[in-house]
Amino acid sequence: FRSLTQAEQYLAKPIIVGGAVLDLSSVVAQYKNALLAVFSSTPQNAIQLIRNTSRSTLWGIVVLVSTYFFMTEWENLREGMIRLAPETYRQDIRRLYAQVRQVWTAYLRGQLTLMLIVAVTFIIVWTVIGLPGSLYLGFLAGLFSIVPDVGPFVATVLALTVALLEGSKWLPINNFLFGLLVVVLYAVLINIKGVWLRPRILGRSVHMHEAVVFVAIIAAVIFTGVLGAFIIIPVLASLGVIWNYLHARILGLVPFQDEKYASYPDLEAPAITDKKNNPVAKAAKKRSK
């Protein structure tokens, strides 16, 4: 607490930066009171703190061990789950798994493309207005753009802090106005990214309409939070792949367009005997052409 007392004495007077007055005296006092409350807490609160910390640590260990297990044993685990299905459907499940994996891989490529575009855009904009550390701040803006809502907020706070403390390298305005300019530019660009660029890039990557992508992300943020918004698009695209397969199976059509009808012996003897009106025979004839 000795260092906190010295900091409290040093910050007792307001700091003037570029014409802006910053009063930080209350910040140290609040932090000091919080530390006093922690150290003077009852044993019951201490036990609760240890319990919460232990629970978080255990969940972290579970996540790490599970990740390592799936990375090293995923192939054997996948084949074991596939063998639970009837033998006639195992090849279909393997093909279905390959298509779902392609969806997630394409979604990841779309996210990386979006991150690169956002990073380059902000690097150029911050360099033009003279924001110090424009290269690093632009890179962080692109990196944080992967996380909906929370990421852009953190990147905005970082850019605003640098703008208020350092000011512009060449614009003849005070730090407060420069910080306001940074916030306005960030708000405009990040909304363009969220409303137009992100749905367009992610929609094309997983073959979904831009409007569906936009509505799905907004709904996921409202009802499930950041994690739901991050995975909602590939989940919907994967469900679409599974639905297309089930729809083809129900109608007796070829579920995979790049394979011959003869590869599916269970579809070779349809219940309909009228070849003229048999949809399976029509599909096979169309594929043979």
Side-chain angles (χ1 to χ4, degrees):
F1 295 100
R2 186 174 182 181
S3 300
L4 290 177
T5 303
Q6 294 176 354
E8 189 175 9
Q9 294 175 355
Y10 176 76
L11 297 175
K13 297 181 180 180
I15 300 175
I16 300 177
V17 180
V21 180
L22 299 177
D23 188 4
L24 302 177
S25 59
S26 60
V27 176
V28 179
Q30 293 176 1
Y31 184 69
K32 184 177 179 180
N33 293 333
L35 287 178
L36 288 173
V38 171
F39 284 105
S40 61
S41 60
T42 61
Q44 184 178 359
N45 293 335
I47 294 175
Q48 185 66 26
L49 178 63
I50 294 174
R51 182 183 303 171
N52 294 336
T53 305
S54 301
R55 185 179 303 171
S56 301
T57 304
L58 288 176
W59 273 115
I61 295 175
V62 169
V63 171
L64 291 176
V65 173
S66 301
T67 303
Y68 174 78
F69 173 76
F70 281 113
M71 291 179 63
T72 56
E73 299 294 332
W74 170 244
E75 185 174 351
N76 296 331
L77 181 63
R78 180 197 65 203
E79 289 300 318
M81 291 188 294
I82 291 176
R83 291 192 186 97
L84 295 177
E87 187 174 357
T88 55
Y89 290 95
R90 291 177 186 175
Q91 188 62 27
D92 282 7
I93 295 176
R94 291 188 179 93
R95 294 299 310 275
L96 198 61
Y97 164 76
Q99 288 189 352
V100 172
R101 184 177 61 183
Q102 289 177 0
V103 166
W104 285 82
T105 303
Y107 173 74
L108 179 59
R109 287 197 300 266
Q111 284 284 12
L112 293 177
T113 302
L114 181 64
M115 182 185 71
L116 179 62
I117 293 175
V118 172
V120 172
T121 301
F122 276 103
I123 289 174
I124 295 174
V125 172
W126 294 157
T127 303
V128 169
I129 66 174
L131 182 65
S134 59
L135 179 62
Y136 302 104
L137 292 174
F139 174 77
L140 290 177
L143 181 64
F144 291 155
S145 66
I146 297 180
V147 184
D149 291 343
V150 177
F153 174 76
V154 174
T156 304
V157 171
L158 292 175
L160 177 61
T161 303
V162 174
L164 292 176
L165 295 178
E166 300 292 336
S168 176
K169 293 180 180 179
W170 42 72
L171 291 181
I173 56 177
N174 60 52
N175 293 11
F176 177 77
L177 293 178
F178 183 62
L180 183 62
L181 175 63
V182 168
V183 171
V184 170
L185 288 175
Y186 202 102
V188 172
L189 293 175
I190 212 65
N191 277 283
I192 293 175
K193 185 269 295 185
V195 175
W196 179 76
L197 187 61
R198 180 169 61 185
R200 191 176 184 86
I201 292 178
L202 297 184
R204 289 187 175 184
S205 65
V206 297
H207 305 290
M208 291 176 61
H209 195 275
E210 293 88 343
V212 176
V213 173
F214 178 77
V215 173
I217 293 176
I218 296 299
V221 170
I222 295 175
F223 294 106
T224 62
V226 175
L227 180 59
F230 184 72
I231 66 173
I232 185 64
I233 302 304
V235 168
L236 289 178
S238 300
L239 291 177
V241 170
I242 296 173
W243 165 251
N244 290 335
Y245 170 79
L246 295 177
H247 180 262
R249 276 290 188 176
I250 292 172
L251 295 182
L253 302 176
V254 179
F256 303 107
Q257 296 300 322
D258 57 343
E259 289 192 4
K260 296 296 183 181
Y261 175 75
S263 301
Y264 300 90
D266 54 326
L267 297 179
E268 290 182 354
I272 302 175
T273 57
D274 186 2
K275 296 183 179 181
K276 184 177 180 181
N277 297 321
N278 190 341
V280 178
K282 291 180 179 180
K285 184 177 181 181
K286 185 178 179 180
R287 293 298 303 166
S288 63
K289 292 181 179 180

